[in-house]
């Protein structure tokens, strides 16, 4: 009957109306997986796209790449791998999570059967880590539109997003502390996640203490050379430190690697302690850390109490009230023991 040819005609028209045939070819060299896996806040990875035009336009084509939640396009990274018609790809607005591009030849046009293969670089933010924890499957969506034709959309294969998981071993309590004395304590950081990090951040908030020196003394994740750390900034009683890639073995703190620290501090009052914050993220600002672990460095004071038992005053060289002379003040204490904990200190 006439119905069957009509159906074939409609199908043919619909196929011709599609803007692109889109696919995601494997990379030619290792790692060949496309899209490539990525690590949160540590480097970039590539997405490779092949687009074959199914229509023509004097004004070229528009492409939008909707990246998975927490993923961002690296500006300026769109690169043509190959094209059978001299097509180029240029940025054309959008957002970091959904960048837009224009594909066209030197005349600004595109023709049926024109082909282009291009790559973009992507980075993973802290939001991507949250999405992994929530069970998100990461895929990117590419949509291509040629004016006058139906938009074409394809979903990429899935890719893995890796991230670090820090653990923090806080220092032991400093017992028998004396006001005015300095002591040394140690603590460590370990990465137990499947992702590496290129920087580790620390914050030390002291109460009744002052940090004399903080030293990265070693650990499997360090370069092995003790390094005295200098605060990147100090706000109030909190000092911030960064352990950069140059101080990490191989430039990263990888799975199973650890860092050990030695802190020399001085006790300023009887209620001294340090609040530690350890983290990693896309920048050193604590608000940008993807993960924060905390702990306390406690101080227990030595036992003892002072007791002022006698106070005397004597005049030295006294002749009369009009002649200069001196006073001698004598304080006698009978503390609960002979340690410095029983001493009297100048307030």
């Amino acid at each position: 009957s006439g119905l069957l040819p009509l159906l074939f005609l409609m199908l043919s028209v619909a196929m011709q109306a599609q803007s692109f045939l889109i696919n995601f070819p494997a990379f030619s060299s290792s790692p060949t997986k496309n899209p490539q896996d990525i690590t949160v806040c540590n480097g970039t990875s590539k997405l490779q796209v092949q687009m074959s035009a199914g229509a023509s336009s004097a004004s070229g084509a528009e492409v939008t790449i909707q990246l998975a939640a927490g993923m961002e396009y690296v500006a300026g990274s769109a690169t043509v791998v190959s094209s059978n018609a001299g097509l180029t790809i240029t940025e054309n607005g959008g957002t970091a999570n959904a960048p837009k591009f224009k594909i066209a030849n030197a005349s600004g046009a595109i023709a049926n059967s024109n082909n282009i293969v291009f790559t973009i670089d992507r980075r993973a933010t802290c939001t991507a880590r949250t999405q992994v924890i929530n069970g998100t499957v990461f895929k990117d969506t590419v949509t291509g539109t040629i004016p006058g034709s139906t938009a074409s959309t394809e979903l990429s294969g899935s890719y893995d997003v890796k991230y670090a998981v820090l653990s923090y071993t806080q220092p032991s309590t400093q017992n028998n502390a004396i006001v005015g004395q300095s002591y040394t304590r140690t603590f460590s950081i370990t990465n137990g996640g499947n992702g590496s990090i290129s920087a580790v951040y620390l914050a030390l908030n002291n109460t009744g203490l002052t940090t004399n020196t903080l030293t990265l003394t070693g650990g499997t994740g360090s370069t092995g050379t003790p390094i005295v750390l200098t605060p990147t900034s100090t706000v109030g009683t909190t000092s911030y430190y960064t352990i950069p890639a140059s101080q990490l073995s191989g430039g990263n703190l990888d799975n199973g690697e650890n860092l050990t620290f030695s802190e020399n501090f001085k006790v300023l009052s009887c209620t001294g302690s340090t609040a530690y914050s350890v983290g990693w993220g896309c920048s050193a600002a604590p608000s940008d850390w993807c993960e924060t672990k905390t702990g306390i460095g406690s101080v227990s004071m030595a036992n003892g109490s002072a007791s002022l038992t006698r106070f005397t005053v004597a005049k030295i060289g006294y002749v009369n009230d009009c002649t200069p002379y001196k006073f001698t003040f004598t304080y006698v204490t009978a503390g609960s023991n002979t340690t410095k904990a029983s001493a009297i200190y100048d307030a």
Side-chain angles (χ1 to χ4, degrees):
S1 70
L3 180 59
L4 190 57
L6 179 60
L7 289 174
F8 278 117
L9 178 61
M10 293 174 63
L11 179 59
S12 176
V13 171
M15 291 178 63
Q16 291 175 358
Q18 289 294 315
S19 293
F20 285 100
L21 175 64
I22 304 171
N23 57 56
F24 304 91
F27 290 94
S28 58
S29 59
S30 181
T32 60
K33 179 183 177 182
N34 181 34
Q36 295 175 343
D37 296 337
I38 193 166
T39 300
V40 175
C41 295
N42 193 5
T44 62
S45 75
K46 293 183 181 295
L47 168 70
Q48 184 163 251
V49 183
Q50 179 174 316
M51 303 184 73
S52 300
S56 300
S57 171
S59 58
E62 300 289 335
V63 176
T64 299
I65 303 180
Q66 177 61 65
L67 301 175
M71 300 295 297
E72 291 183 349
Y73 167 67
V74 179
S77 68
T79 303
V80 175
V81 177
S82 64
S83 173
N84 66 354
L87 297 180
T88 60
I89 181 169
T90 56
E91 295 174 354
N92 193 33
T95 65
N97 184 242
K100 294 183 178 182
F101 306 91
K102 182 176 181 179
I103 292 177
N105 58 26
S107 300
I110 191 169
N112 192 354
S113 299
N114 283 180
N115 180 282
I116 185 173
V117 178
F118 65 90
T119 63
I120 65 167
D121 291 348
R122 308 156 303 152
R123 64 170 63 93
T125 67
C126 295
T127 300
R129 168 184 173 271
T130 302
Q131 293 296 317
V132 176
I133 294 172
N134 291 338
T136 297
V137 176
F138 283 77
K139 297 182 178 183
D140 299 330
T141 303
V142 177
T143 300
T145 306
I146 295 176
S149 301
T150 302
S152 301
T153 299
E154 287 292 338
L155 191 63
S156 77
S158 63
Y159 53 93
D160 293 333
V161 176
K162 303 175 182 180
Y163 60 93
V165 178
L166 296 185
S167 61
Y168 165 70
T169 303
Q170 66 185 26
S172 301
T173 298
Q174 173 62 54
N175 294 316
N176 298 316
I178 302 295
V179 172
Q181 300 297 303
S182 292
Y183 304 91
T184 299
R185 56 191 175 189
T186 61
F187 60 91
S188 64
I189 300 169
T190 302
N191 180 11
N194 63 358
S196 59
I197 48 179
S198 59
V200 179
Y201 306 117
L202 303 174
L204 277 62
N205 185 5
N206 289 316
T207 300
L209 306 175
T210 184
T211 299
N212 296 325
T213 58
L214 179 63
T215 305
L216 174 61
T217 55
T220 57
S222 76
T223 57
T225 302
I227 299 171
V228 177
L229 303 175
T230 301
T232 56
S233 65
T234 299
V235 180
T237 59
T238 302
S239 294
Y240 298 91
Y241 300 82
T242 295
I243 296 86
S246 60
Q247 296 171 2
L248 300 174
S249 175
N252 287 300
L253 184 67
D254 297 319
N255 172 261
E257 292 185 334
N258 62 76
L259 302 173
T260 57
F261 299 84
S262 176
E263 179 196 5
N264 183 266
F265 65 97
K266 184 177 182 179
V267 179
L268 302 180
S269 75
C270 296
T271 56
S273 67
T274 300
Y276 297 89
S277 296
V278 176
W280 63 272
C282 295
S283 83
S287 59
D288 291 334
W289 295 0
C290 299
E291 178 189 35
T292 302
K293 295 295 175 67
T294 60
I296 295 293
S298 300
V299 172
S300 175
M301 305 304 292
N303 292 323
S305 59
S307 176
L308 183 62
T309 60
R310 189 176 63 187
F311 168 66
T312 58
V313 180
K315 296 179 180 179
I316 306 299
Y318 180 79
V319 176
N320 55 54
D321 290 341
C322 295
T323 302
Y325 60 95
K326 298 179 180 180
F327 286 99
T328 296
F329 299 90
T330 301
Y331 300 86
V332 178
T333 178
S336 58
N337 54 49
T338 59
T339 70
K340 290 184 178 180
S342 296
I344 294 177
Y345 294 89
D346 182 8

